């Protein structure tokens, strides 16, 4: 992208913002660069434009969308919830524009078909590798797009068509609010994580009552999935704030557990398989349902094949 104080080049016909002006690829590229670096100066270097040009494009984009995308101070830049929600859309629009340019640059180039998959965390993402390997053998022109998105945005993306399928834990209808098909892949037990030097690590299993004297490492209730919130709620009664540590992700919780800050309860699927912590079955907590959400499959052979492969790899009985 060429430098310029206004960074006016690269305009493309993309969805209109709240003010009626079209969002353009320059604005989106600036947004993605700042979201990646959380630093306006480094984003400008990456894009080969001036820092004021990046700032101007972000301000214009925020005005057109009618939301604030970043919290900015003299020292830090943080992406807002609205920015996180917009991030996959920005990636999709820039990717679409880039693919269109390449298609016209090489009209004889073989067409590709995309399949966009979303999930809550990287631990679940790693489960897709063997399935995608088989899928690629059947559809050589397939280009998977894998997106890790906070759960509160993921189902809306499925409803809006921004992802083709979501690999996730089952959510109650009242909380999810979308008309998608759900297929269970497996039942996942809840596990207690503790440091290997913790006396609990010598046990073969635990009950919730065994954790009464332990400090707790919990997922932030505002960002956690419902099954985690319900399990955590059973442990919070009578706890002082000094006994609680809140995390944004299962990966962060695992790190704090390993460091000895406390114990955590997580669906076993969230726990990195090589994490150097002890994981114990929790006898008095039922397992949770893990599966795939998708829209009706007519006219989408790769998605239909994907669902079948996911079920076969999970050992689910055919319907």
């Amino acid at each position: 992208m060429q430098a310029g104080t206004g960074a006016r080049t690269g305009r493309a016909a993309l969805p209109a913002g709240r003010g009626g002006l079209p969002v353009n690829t320059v604005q989106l590229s600036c947004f993605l660069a700042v979201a990646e670096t959380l630093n306006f100066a480094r984003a400008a270097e990456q894009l080969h434009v001036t820092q004021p040009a990046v700032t101007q494009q972000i301000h214009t984009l925020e005005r057109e969308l009618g939301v604030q995308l970043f919290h900015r101070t003299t020292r830090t830049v943080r992406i807002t919830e609205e920015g996180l929600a917009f991030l996959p859309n920005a990636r999709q629009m820039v990717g679409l524009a880039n693919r269109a340019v390449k298609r016209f640059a090489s009209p004889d180039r073989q067409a590709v078909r995309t399949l966009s998959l979303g999930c809550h965390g990287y631990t679940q993402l790693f489960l897709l590798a063997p399935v995608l390997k088989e899928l690629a053998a059947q559809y050589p022109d397939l280009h998977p797009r894998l997106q890790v998105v906070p759960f509160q945005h993921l189902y809306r993306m499925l409803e809006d068509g921004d992802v083709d399928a979501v690999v996730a834990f089952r959510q109650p209808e009242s909380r999810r609010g979308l008309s998608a098909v759900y297929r269970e892949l497996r039942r996942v037990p809840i596990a207690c994580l503790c440091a290997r030097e913790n006396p609990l690590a010598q046990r073969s299993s635990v009950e919730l009552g065994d954790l009464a004297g332990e400090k707790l490492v919990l997922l932030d209730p505002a960002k956690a999935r419902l099954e985690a919130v319900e399990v955590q709620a059973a442990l919070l009664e009578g706890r002082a704030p000094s006994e609680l540590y809140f995390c944004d992700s299962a990966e962060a919780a695992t790190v704090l557990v390993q460091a000895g800050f406390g114990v955590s309860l997580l669906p076993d699927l969230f726990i990195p398989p090589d994490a150097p912590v002890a994981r114990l079955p929790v006898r008095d907590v039922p397992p949770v349902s893990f599966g795939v959400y998708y829209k009706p499959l007519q006219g989408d052979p790769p998605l239909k094949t994907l669902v079948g492969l996911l079920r076969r790899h999970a050992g689910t009985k055919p319907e």
Side-chain angles (χ1 to χ4, degrees):
M1 185 168 62
Q2 295 300 316
T5 57
R8 298 188 183 93
T9 60
R11 206 162 183 89
L14 294 173
R18 182 175 297 182
L21 298 174
V23 172
N24 65 68
T25 53
V26 174
Q27 293 171 343
L28 296 174
S29 296
C30 289
F31 166 72
L32 291 175
V34 175
E36 176 184 344
T37 62
L38 294 180
N39 185 291
F40 278 71
R42 284 201 294 271
E45 292 177 2
Q46 179 178 310
L47 296 171
H48 305 292
V49 299
T50 64
Q51 182 174 339
V54 173
T55 301
Q56 177 187 343
Q57 294 298 322
I58 296 297
H59 284 163
T60 302
L61 180 60
E62 290 178 325
R63 286 197 303 271
E64 293 178 4
L65 295 176
V67 297
Q68 185 176 357
L69 299 172
F70 298 100
H71 288 303
R72 299 181 282 274
T73 69
T74 55
R75 294 188 176 183
T76 63
V77 176
R78 291 187 299 109
I79 192 167
T80 64
E81 285 294 314
E82 291 80 6
L84 283 172
F86 184 60
L87 190 57
N89 301 116
R91 287 172 175 158
Q92 184 179 35
M93 287 188 283
V94 170
L96 180 63
N98 289 338
R99 288 195 297 273
V101 170
K102 290 178 180 179
R103 183 180 299 116
F104 288 113
S106 303
D108 297 330
R109 186 185 298 271
Q110 182 181 3
V112 300
R113 69 173 105 194
T114 60
L115 181 65
S116 183
L117 306 177
C119 60
H120 296 147
Y122 291 98
T123 304
Q124 296 123 65
L125 194 65
F126 295 145
L127 300 174
L128 297 175
V131 173
L132 292 176
K133 184 175 183 179
E134 286 196 40
L135 194 64
Q138 297 188 45
Y139 300 96
D141 59 343
L142 188 69
H143 282 224
R145 296 181 64 249
L146 308 180
Q147 302 188 58
V148 177
V149 181
F151 86 98
Q152 60 265 44
H153 306 306
L154 200 48
Y155 302 109
R156 187 174 67 212
M157 290 175 61
L158 178 60
E159 189 74 6
D160 293 343
D162 293 329
V163 294
D164 298 305
V166 170
V167 181
F169 286 93
R170 185 166 195 168
Q171 297 291 313
E173 297 295 326
S174 59
R175 175 155 177 172
R176 235 180 347 100
L178 57 82
S179 54
V181 178
Y182 176 77
R183 289 289 179 266
E184 182 176 284
L185 300 176
R186 65 178 75 172
R187 303 286 291 178
V188 179
I190 300 295
C192 171
L193 271 68
C194 65
R196 289 174 175 171
E197 58 270 21
N198 188 308
L200 289 176
Q202 306 306 314
R203 302 191 182 195
S204 59
S205 64
V206 296
E207 294 184 352
L208 293 181
D210 298 327
L211 310 181
E214 300 288 336
K215 292 185 177 181
L216 303 178
V217 178
L218 307 173
L219 297 181
D220 185 340
K223 300 179 180 179
R225 291 147 294 275
L226 185 61
E227 75 284 342
V229 173
E230 290 179 338
V231 173
Q232 291 179 172
L235 298 172
L236 289 176
E237 186 174 356
R239 297 275 187 170
S242 59
E243 299 179 275
L244 308 176
Y245 299 88
F246 289 98
C247 300
D248 288 344
S249 68
E251 291 84 1
T254 302
V255 169
L256 290 188
V257 167
Q258 180 186 349
F261 283 88
V263 303
S264 187
L265 292 183
L266 295 171
D268 194 66
L269 197 61
F270 282 172
I271 306 168
D274 56 349
V277 295
R279 64 179 81 193
L280 308 170
V282 184
R283 295 191 298 273
D284 50 351
V285 176
V288 292
S289 176
F290 181 78
V292 56
Y293 285 103
Y294 54 89
K295 292 296 188 70
L297 295 172
Q298 290 107 344
D300 197 340
L303 180 57
K304 184 175 182 179
T305 303
L306 171 77
V307 173
L309 289 173
L310 284 170
R311 291 171 61 80
R312 179 165 63 79
H313 277 259
T316 309
K317 294 182 180 179
E319 297 178 343

